[in-house]
Amino acid sequence: MSIKVKNPIVEIDGDEMARVIWHMIKAKLITPFLEVDIRYFDLGIKRRDETDDRVTVEAANAIKETGMGVKCATITPNAARVKEYGLKQQWKSPNGTIRSILDGTVFRKPIIMRNIPPAVRSWKKPIVIGRHAYGDIYKCAEFVIEGPGKAELVFTPADGGEKRVVKVHDFSGKGVVMGMYNTESSIRSFARACINYAVGEKIDLWFGAKDTISKQYHGFFRDVFAEEAAKARDKFGAAGIKYRYLLIDDAVAQVLKSEGGMLWACMNYDGDVMSDMVATGFGSLGLMTSVLVSPDGKYEFEAAHGTVVRHYYEHLKGNPTSTNSVASIFAWTGALAKRGEMDSTMDVVRFAETLEQAVIETVEGGVMTKDLMLIAEPKVSKFAHTEEFIDEVAKRLKGTLGH
Ligand code: NAP
Ligand code: MG
C-alpha cells in the first residue's frame, strides 16, 4: 500500500556519480512506497547545454510554484568541463541561479550517527551553518596598484547630493586595493531567514562578526541582526531559544568548545570557510545536508557534496564504487517531511522519519561506505559498495513498513 503525497514535489536531476546514486535512491527508496506527483527537471549538463540553461530557470520557477524541491548535485562548468562535455559555454552555477530566483538562504546541517564520532569530542548535536550568500568579497571590485599614489572610496548620490570621498591609503609603492559592499535588504532577509530557521528547529541562533575592527561595515550587520532578533523576541521565547551576538573569533572558539545544537549565522566569507571546517569535523561530506529556504517559505533540499567525479570515472570504467548516498537520501526525506508538514499529512512525515531511521540503523549496524569506514568507531572490517548500501537501507525500510 503506498502513501499518498498531497502536493507536488519538484525533482531536479544532476550529474555524474551523484546522478547514478540519485536514480538508485528514487527507484529503491521512494517510488515503491509513495504515490507522489513529481515534477521532473533534468539539470544534467547536457540538458542545460541543449536548452541554453533555460531548464534551470524553469526548475526554479516550479519550486516557486509548488513550494518544494529536491535536487541532485550538478556540474558547475569551468573551462575543463566545457571541453570534457563539448559545451556551448561555461553555464553559470545552477545553485546560484536557483538561489537568486528564490532569494534564498542556504543552511547546512550534518547527520549524526553514534558510530561516526566527530573530530571535536565535545560535539554531540548538529552545528548548522547559515551562510549569507550575497555580496562582500564575492561581488567586490579590486585591483593591483602598480606604484605610488592615493586610493579613495567615492560615493556619488543618485539624487545629485554631495559626493562622499574617504581616503583608503596613500601608496608609496606596489600594493592592492578592494572595494566591497552589501545591502540592507539582503542582510535583513538573511537575518530573517536565520531567525525563521532557528525558531522552526528550536535551536539557538548565533551571529558573529568583527565589529570591533570594522565599526561601520561589520557593525551594520550586527545592528540589523539585533533589530530583527528584537522584533522576533516573542517567537524566540515561545521556542525557548536565545539569540547571541559574538565577536567572530570568540564565536569560532565557543563553537569548538560547545556540544553543538545551534544555528551559526555567518557572513559570506566566514560561511564559505566555516562550513567546510564543520563538514569535515562531523566526518564526511557524504553526511552533510543542505537546504535553501526562501523568505516566503519555499524549500529546496540537497546533499552538500558535489558530483563525486573520481568515483564516476571509476564507475564508467566498470569498477565497483563506494559512494556515500546518505546525504542524498536525506535530501529526499527532508523534502518529504517538510511537504508532509505543509500539507498536514502526518503519514508522509512518518515515512520520511522511518526512512531516515533505516539509514541511521544501517550505518550504526555496521553497514557503510568506505568514507565512513575509515572513521567509524568501533571499527568495521569491510565497506559496502554504492548499491549494496542502498539495498541494505531498502531491506530495513521494507521490514519496518511491513512490505
Ligand atoms: P565533490 O563532488 O563533493 O567531491 C570531493 C571529494 O569528496 C570526492 O572526490 C570524494 O573524495 C569526497 N566525497 C564527496 N561526496 C562524497 C560521497 N557522497 N561519498 C564519498 N565520498 C565523497 O566536490 P568537487 O570534486 O569539488 O566537485 C565535483 C563537481 O561537483 C564539480 O563539477 C562541481 O561543480 C560540482 N559541485 C556541485 C555541487 C552542487 O550541485 N551542490 C556542490 C559542489 C560541487 P575521494 O575522491 O577521496 O573519495
Ligand atoms: Mg567553501
Side-chain angles (χ1 to χ4, degrees):
M1 207 189 66
S2 65
I3 300 160
K4 189 163 168 38
V5 182
K6 197 160 146 195
N7 282 300
I9 291 180
V10 173
E11 179 196 354
I12 299 180
D13 209 343
D15 289 299
E16 302 188 319
M17 200 61 205
R19 185 180 179 106
V20 174
I21 60 178
W22 194 256
H23 288 216
M24 288 180 192
I25 292 167
K26 191 177 170 190
K28 292 171 189 259
L29 302 174
I30 306 297
T31 45
F33 306 97
L34 298 175
E35 194 185 312
V36 48
D37 173 8
I38 287 176
R39 308 272 166 93
Y40 177 86
F41 293 85
D42 185 0
L43 262 60
I45 189 66
K46 288 197 193 103
R47 187 81 194 126
R48 276 181 278 149
D49 200 50
E50 277 162 21
T51 62
D52 293 332
D53 210 23
R54 275 190 303 274
V55 66
T56 306
V57 176
E58 284 164 13
N61 285 330
I63 296 176
K64 249 187 160 170
E65 192 192 313
T66 59
M68 189 58 59
V70 59
K71 180 179 172 290
C72 173
T74 45
I75 290 171
T76 296
N78 53 18
R81 297 299 209 155
V82 169
K83 216 166 142 203
E84 179 181 4
Y85 285 92
L87 306 177
K88 292 180 203 159
Q89 66 177 75
Q90 272 185 40
W91 302 109
K92 279 193 278 186
S93 151
N95 284 24
T97 303
I98 297 169
R99 195 162 60 219
S100 69
I101 291 175
L102 293 175
D103 180 28
T105 300
V106 174
F107 299 95
R108 277 175 145 208
K109 180 182 172 186
I111 300 156
I112 294 189
M113 315 265 189
R114 254 201 318 258
N115 55 340
I116 309 297
V120 177
R121 268 171 301 170
S122 61
W123 288 357
K124 295 197 167 55
K125 300 177 197 161
I127 293 165
V128 183
I129 300 244
R131 173 179 169 192
H132 181 217
Y134 179 79
D136 300 354
I137 65 164
Y138 303 85
K139 293 262 185 199
C140 75
E142 57 175 10
F143 52 84
V144 171
I145 304 246
E146 294 300 343
K150 183 164 62 173
E152 291 175 324
L153 205 54
V154 181
F155 176 73
T156 312
D159 65 6
E162 211 177 319
K163 271 190 192 218
R164 280 176 75 181
V165 182
V166 182
K167 186 179 82 183
V168 177
H169 191 60
D170 270 320
F171 285 90
S172 58
K174 203 167 172 178
V176 282
V177 69
M178 172 166 92
M180 67 181 203
Y181 75 94
N182 225 298
T183 66
E184 182 182 350
S185 72
S186 173
I187 300 166
R188 218 170 271 288
S189 306
F190 174 57
R192 284 187 191 140
C194 290
I195 289 166
N196 288 339
Y197 186 95
V199 168
E201 298 279 311
K202 296 194 171 56
I203 51 177
D204 286 350
L205 171 60
W206 292 17
F207 176 61
K210 194 73 181 177
D211 62 321
T212 46
I213 299 299
S214 168
K215 292 185 177 13
Q216 306 262 332
Y217 200 108
H218 285 230
F220 191 84
F221 274 79
R222 176 205 57 216
D223 292 345
V224 170
F225 259 81
E227 282 164 28
E228 293 300 325
K231 278 189 229 162
R233 193 168 293 140
D234 292 348
K235 286 198 221 166
F236 277 89
I241 60 170
K242 288 194 294 290
Y243 170 66
R244 189 173 172 196
Y245 174 77
L246 307 93
L247 267 181
I248 186 65
D249 31 356
D250 188 27
V252 171
Q254 297 297 330
V255 162
L256 275 182
K257 286 195 295 188
S258 78
E259 60 167 33
M262 79 289 280
L263 165 59
W264 182 10
C266 290
M267 287 174 70
N268 208 347
Y269 177 79
D270 298 335
D272 186 347
V273 177
M274 289 305 156
S275 59
D276 286 326
M277 195 270 288
V278 168
T280 311
F282 275 103
S284 163
L285 259 178
L287 292 182
M288 184 59 82
T289 64
S290 171
V291 58
L292 175 74
V293 187
S294 80
D296 54 347
K298 320 279 192 214
Y299 293 78
E300 183 209 47
F301 289 82
E302 67 170 335
H305 63 75
T307 62
V308 214
V309 197
R310 195 184 61 78
H311 298 213
Y312 183 59
Y313 294 155
E314 289 305 314
H315 173 79
L316 287 181
K317 282 188 249 165
N319 295 332
T321 55
S322 184
T323 312
N324 191 341
S325 52
V326 170
S328 297
I329 299 171
F330 272 65
W332 276 99
T333 56
L336 286 165
K338 202 43 140 186
R339 179 81 279 174
E341 198 185 303
M342 284 158 80
D343 296 349
S344 304
T345 47
M346 285 317 291
D347 50 344
V348 176
V349 177
R350 267 196 304 275
F351 171 80
E353 289 167 355
T354 309
L355 176 49
E356 289 187 355
Q357 205 50 40
V359 171
I360 290 171
E361 282 169 12
T362 301
V363 176
E364 292 184 348
V367 178
M368 62 190 79
T369 43
K370 196 173 180 180
D371 55 318
L372 298 184
M373 185 187 90
L374 298 171
I375 50 171
E377 208 65 76
K379 298 254 167 289
V380 289
S381 54
K382 72 185 214 3
F383 61 82
H385 291 307
T386 306
E387 192 155 17
E388 269 171 9
F389 178 80
I390 296 172
D391 285 338
E392 192 65 27
V393 173
K395 207 161 82 188
R396 275 183 190 267
L397 179 63
K398 281 184 194 145
T400 330
L401 295 174
H403 273 242

